[in-house]
Amino acid sequence: MTAPLARVVIVGASLAGLRTAAALRDHGFTGSLTIVGDEPHPPYDRPPLSKQVLTDETAPDPALPVPEPLGAQWKLGRSAVRLEPHERVVLLDDGTGLPYDGVVLATGSGARGWPEPRPVQGIHTLRTREDALRVRAELRPGRRVVVVGAGFLGGELAAAARARSAHVTLVEASRQPLERAIGAAPGAWIAGLHRESGVDLRTATTVTAFRADGDRVRGVALSDGTEHAADTVLLALGGTPATGWLAGSGLDLGHGVRCDSRLRALDPAGAVVPGVVAAGDVARVPQPLAGGEAIALGHWTTATEHAITAARTLLDPTTSAPHTAVPSFWSDLHGARIRSVGLPTLADEVLVHEHDLPGRHLKVTYLRRGRLIGALTVNRTRSLTAYRRELHAASEAFAP
């Protein structure tokens, strides 16, 4: 270690936070370790919330296993309200100050809501375990559910509602679901999958108003001039990095905490802020596949990979390796297994190799300036192995 590291504070009892704590111990850190979480629960896995938890009332608890002995002091049900990098202190909402030698920012992202005014009851977002339980209680046979936003989360919400025999209307502003994320042709494949599964998909359409009975939602008006009855509305409008508590800290907070390739937080001038690293959804990290462009990725695998880099950087930033892992993502819609690697969103060319909706198969590659930057398959997971290998070699080659 280049400097004594006796006290580490991890803000965010998340996947990224827990994995960073474990990585610190695995790499020999024996000092004080404090983990702060604004929810009352120990860390839990979020992907099952929009999958198993919504569809199966007997689904196992999504709690993440905590390594023993982790030797951490837990501050659960407490929120960090301010970071003082010069004094090296994290301030909590109960007035407690936590001094640190190193701090990990792992607060993730929050669900984007709807501007007020809106009905108070019957409109939900999905981010926490409590959100999932509330939404599941609404998904019953015959219920009329409107899902706003047909991205990966919105698609999973629609699929879960159909699995519980609800009537589903899925509203998407783009011409196809996931068009900006995976391209128009793959998006059309996903659109066909939704429609074949009984979802009333409305594309190139937005919600213009909610209809209410008192303070309870009863329907939505759409920009195509139609109105749809709704017992429940689920908002899947994307996420926003949870950086509000970092205002005034001197960090560069545009679209997440901007970091260097070793996950060290930067100030607006691009200088490293000593003792501060970020990991997971909240971190905006240079991506070698994107020519070093700093991007925040809300992927499960990214959070786990960031954890190792963040821990090594805190322990010895002079020898830690840059983050070069290839991003990957998965989703399951109406029984179809969707898998992707790389950065399809940044492609300037989309090549469709297989487009078989009846057979439930899709294979697509993505190029940027003639180079492979991503791949996506449906029910062709083995096909990704070669693409992942090629992307990993490219990422290593372009790493700083």
Side-chain angles (χ1 to χ4, degrees):
M1 291 183 285
T2 58
L5 191 69
R7 302 165 298 181
V8 172
V9 174
I10 297 176
V11 185
S14 58
L15 172 68
L18 177 62
R19 291 292 178 88
T20 304
L24 283 165
R25 293 302 192 206
D26 288 345
H27 287 83
F29 176 64
T30 59
S32 167
L33 188 57
T34 302
I35 303 176
V36 179
D38 60 0
E39 295 183 61
H41 319 290
Y44 58 88
D45 217 3
R46 294 190 188 275
L49 298 183
S50 58
K51 300 177 178 70
Q52 297 96 321
V53 173
L54 285 189
T55 58
D56 184 0
E57 296 186 7
T58 64
D61 190 326
L64 291 165
V66 177
E68 291 291 346
L70 188 62
Q73 181 182 10
W74 295 86
K75 298 281 188 181
L76 300 177
R78 296 263 67 92
S79 297
V81 296
R82 188 168 178 83
L83 176 70
E84 299 284 1
H86 298 295
E87 290 77 17
R88 297 205 176 196
V89 173
V90 174
L91 300 178
L92 304 186
D93 56 359
D94 63 357
T96 301
L98 301 176
Y100 67 82
D101 301 305
V103 62
V104 181
L105 310 180
T107 46
S109 61
R112 184 176 288 115
W114 192 273
E116 302 295 345
R118 71 176 202 192
V120 175
Q121 297 183 32
I123 299 181
H124 303 274
T125 57
L126 178 62
R127 181 61 184 170
T128 68
R129 187 160 66 176
E130 284 75 14
D131 292 339
L133 296 178
R134 281 191 290 267
V135 170
R136 187 175 70 191
E138 299 264 357
L139 303 184
R140 303 192 297 275
R143 296 280 286 186
R144 298 165 300 183
V145 177
V146 174
V147 181
V148 185
F152 283 112
L153 176 59
E156 290 177 358
L157 292 174
R162 286 297 300 138
R164 291 175 71 87
S165 300
H167 302 294
V168 180
T169 301
L170 179 57
V171 182
E172 170 56 43
S174 297
R175 295 171 299 172
Q176 301 291 352
L178 295 163
E179 182 172 2
R180 284 170 289 183
I182 64 174
W189 193 99
I190 298 294
L193 179 65
H194 281 309
R195 291 184 171 120
E196 284 194 359
S197 302
V199 174
D200 179 7
L201 174 63
R202 302 298 179 108
T203 57
T205 306
T206 58
V207 172
T208 57
F210 293 108
R211 304 302 185 212
D213 181 4
D215 63 357
R216 176 83 196 189
V217 69
R218 291 302 178 198
V220 297
L222 303 183
S223 60
D224 62 6
T226 62
E227 295 204 5
H228 297 260
D231 302 301
T232 301
V233 174
L234 306 179
L235 302 178
L237 304 174
T240 56
T243 58
W245 71 283
L246 293 169
S249 64
L251 275 59
D252 185 342
L253 303 178
H255 306 291
V257 178
R258 186 163 71 98
C259 302
D260 68 6
S261 62
R262 290 169 172 78
L263 302 187
R264 295 177 294 184
L266 304 177
D267 67 16
V272 170
V273 179
V276 182
V277 298
D281 295 8
V282 78
R284 187 159 57 93
V285 182
Q287 294 291 331
L289 291 175
E293 180 182 349
I295 302 171
L297 296 172
H299 299 342
W300 189 95
T301 52
T302 299
T304 63
E305 291 154 351
H306 278 182
I308 297 171
T309 301
R312 289 174 173 170
T313 295
L314 275 184
L315 292 169
D316 191 350
T318 62
T319 62
S320 64
H323 177 74
T324 59
V326 175
S328 62
F329 183 83
W330 77 93
S331 182
D332 296 309
L333 295 180
H334 309 291
R337 178 166 295 181
I338 303 169
R339 301 291 183 265
S340 75
V341 293
L343 297 168
T345 305
L346 301 185
D348 54 30
E349 186 177 1
V350 179
L351 304 179
V352 180
H353 305 280
E354 186 177 20
H355 193 285
D356 178 8
L357 182 58
R360 293 294 190 267
H361 291 130
L362 179 69
K363 185 162 70 172
V364 186
T365 54
Y366 300 86
L367 306 181
R368 186 180 188 184
R369 298 170 187 166
R371 293 180 178 271
L372 182 74
I373 195 172
L376 179 143
T377 66
V378 177
N379 296 332
R380 295 288 195 205
T381 303
R382 291 184 180 179
S383 300
L384 289 180
T385 302
Y387 296 128
R388 187 190 302 274
R389 189 180 301 118
E390 182 177 347
L391 289 167
H392 179 75
S395 184
E396 291 286 341
F398 285 100

